[in-house]
């Protein structure tokens, strides 16, 4: 796709499509790792790939602008990338949590309650956490898929904005080679 002449917002939206697919694949690997533990290796690999993919996007914009993009413009492009990615991620995870595996949240809470119950705990703190989780499950006080997805989306945009700040600084640091040729 032709990127020259696009605004940082348009670039962020296009980059966000790819980043959204990446984080959705990461979520898929995390879900799959509950039944196939080796999938967690793929999830970790995708997590590690996120800053490198973002660097490639921001560095590409910086070099295509011949070094004229400011730090704040690159940072904003990164924020837009994660904002667009969160929409893709949110849609896919909502579909999964709502219709494909409606018992996923309950299952995770049950695993967490069992885990805390199995920990050695002389003070009883872990037993208390386990009993509270079990009470939430019994009373059906589990979070809704929509509230979980919105929390994850906000987390993605917030953490993505912090990551974008660091990566934007790195993308500008190397300068441009033959920027004015």
């Amino acid at each position: 796709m032709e990127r020259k002449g696009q605004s940082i917002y348009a670039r962020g939206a296009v980059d966000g499509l790819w980043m959204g697919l990446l984080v959705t694949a990461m979520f898929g690997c995390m879900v799959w790792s509950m039944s196939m533990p080796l999938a967690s290796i793929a999830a970790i690999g995708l997590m590690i790939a996120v800053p490198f993919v973002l660097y490639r996007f921001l560095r590409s914009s910086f070099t295509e602008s011949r070094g004229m993009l400011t730090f704040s413009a690159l940072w904003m492009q990164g924020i837009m990338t994660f904002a667009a990615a969160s929409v893709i991620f949110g849609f896919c995870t909502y579909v999964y949590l709502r219709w494909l595996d409606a018992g996923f949240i309950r299952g995770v809470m049950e695993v967490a309650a069992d885990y805390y119950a199995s920990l050695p705990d002389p003070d009883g703190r872990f037993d208390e956490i386990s009993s509270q989780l079990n009470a939430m499950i019994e009373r059906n006080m589990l979070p809704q898929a929509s509230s979980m997805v919105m929390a994850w989306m906000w987390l993605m945009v917030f953490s993505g904005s912090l990551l974008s700040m660091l990566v934007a600084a790195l993308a500008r640091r190397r300068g441009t080679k033959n920027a004015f040729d």
Side-chain angles (χ1 to χ4, degrees):
M1 178 173 200
E2 180 65 29
R3 291 173 50 101
K4 289 190 178 189
Q6 283 185 334
S7 72
I8 57 170
Y9 302 104
R11 285 178 184 230
V14 171
D15 295 345
L17 170 68
W18 299 110
M19 187 67 74
L21 294 175
L22 179 87
V23 294
T24 300
M26 182 173 44
F27 175 77
C29 288
M30 287 179 180
V31 168
W32 192 26
S33 72
M34 303 218 10
S35 61
M36 171 111 171
L38 284 177
S40 63
I41 294 171
I44 291 169
L46 291 171
M47 276 185 232
I48 292 169
V50 168
F52 293 101
V53 170
L54 180 64
Y55 177 81
R56 186 176 186 286
F57 292 152
L58 298 184
R59 181 70 185 162
S60 172
S61 294
F62 183 68
T63 56
E64 286 175 12
S65 74
R66 298 178 180 260
M68 300 304 288
L69 280 179
T70 63
F71 166 77
S72 60
L74 286 173
W75 187 12
M76 180 55 72
Q77 180 182 337
I79 293 170
M80 290 303 301
T81 298
F82 280 99
S86 73
V87 173
I88 307 271
F89 171 77
F91 174 77
C92 294
T93 55
Y94 182 75
V95 167
Y96 179 79
L97 293 175
R98 182 75 167 97
W99 292 293
L100 299 178
D101 189 2
F104 178 78
I105 295 172
R106 176 180 284 278
V108 170
M109 295 289 274
E110 289 170 351
V111 167
D114 292 343
Y115 173 74
Y116 280 112
S118 71
L119 291 175
D121 185 21
D123 297 334
R125 287 180 282 188
F126 294 141
D127 291 334
E128 177 65 25
I129 293 171
S130 177
S131 65
Q132 287 178 358
L133 289 172
N134 283 321
M136 288 175 63
I137 294 167
E138 290 168 8
R139 295 181 183 133
N140 201 23
M141 297 174 60
L142 302 173
Q144 298 295 316
S146 58
S147 60
M148 290 297 298
V149 168
M150 284 305 298
W152 290 338
M153 288 172 66
W154 279 113
L155 177 64
M156 182 184 297
V157 172
F158 176 72
S159 61
S161 69
L162 295 178
L163 179 63
S164 296
M165 179 175 51
L166 296 172
V167 173
L170 290 174
R172 284 187 50 83
R173 185 173 172 95
R174 281 188 36 208
T176 57
K177 191 174 191 181
N178 300 325
F180 299 104
D181 289 341

